Amino acid sequence: SQDPAAAVAPGVPPDPTSVPPGRFEVRVRFTAGVEYVKLITRDGRIVGAMIVGDSDLGDTIENLMWSGTNIDALGFDVLNPEIDLEDFFD
């Protein structure tokens, strides 16, 4: 029988304490006087984020985190300021 604690409702991210440890990375984008964006990823999926200042990434980062998208598989750096993520995700 399946452990009820392991079941996750659709649209609800899994409890990070119940997921086996993986490869963690911290990714940062900083524009002095404008924004500071930090992403924490586990195995390419965003598990945490901090966005401070005037950044248009909030909704997109939230959507990527909730969907469990592997950002390593996208083929580009999601923190690259030259790329408008809203062209890809909304």
Side-chain angles (χ1 to χ4, degrees):
S1 135
Q2 183 180 1
D3 177 4
V8 176
V12 177
D15 175 5
T17 61
S18 68
V19 179
R23 180 180 54 89
F24 283 88
E25 288 185 52
V26 175
R27 305 168 192 215
V28 176
R29 174 167 125 183
F30 175 68
T31 308
V34 179
E35 68 179 356
Y36 175 83
V37 181
K38 179 190 284 187
L39 302 180
I40 295 98
T41 62
R42 178 184 357 200
D43 297 327
R45 291 168 173 77
I46 301 170
V47 295
M50 176 189 300
I51 302 172
V52 178
D54 187 20
S55 177
D56 58 355
L57 295 176
D59 289 339
T60 303
I61 297 299
E62 181 180 15
N63 289 338
L64 290 169
M65 183 164 44
W66 281 92
S67 70
T69 300
N70 183 334
I71 62 173
D72 290 340
L74 296 176
F76 58 87
D77 179 6
V78 298
L79 293 181
N80 181 340
E82 300 296 317
I83 296 174
D84 185 3
L85 286 183
E86 290 183 356
D87 288 345
F88 298 93
F89 311 100
D90 193 358

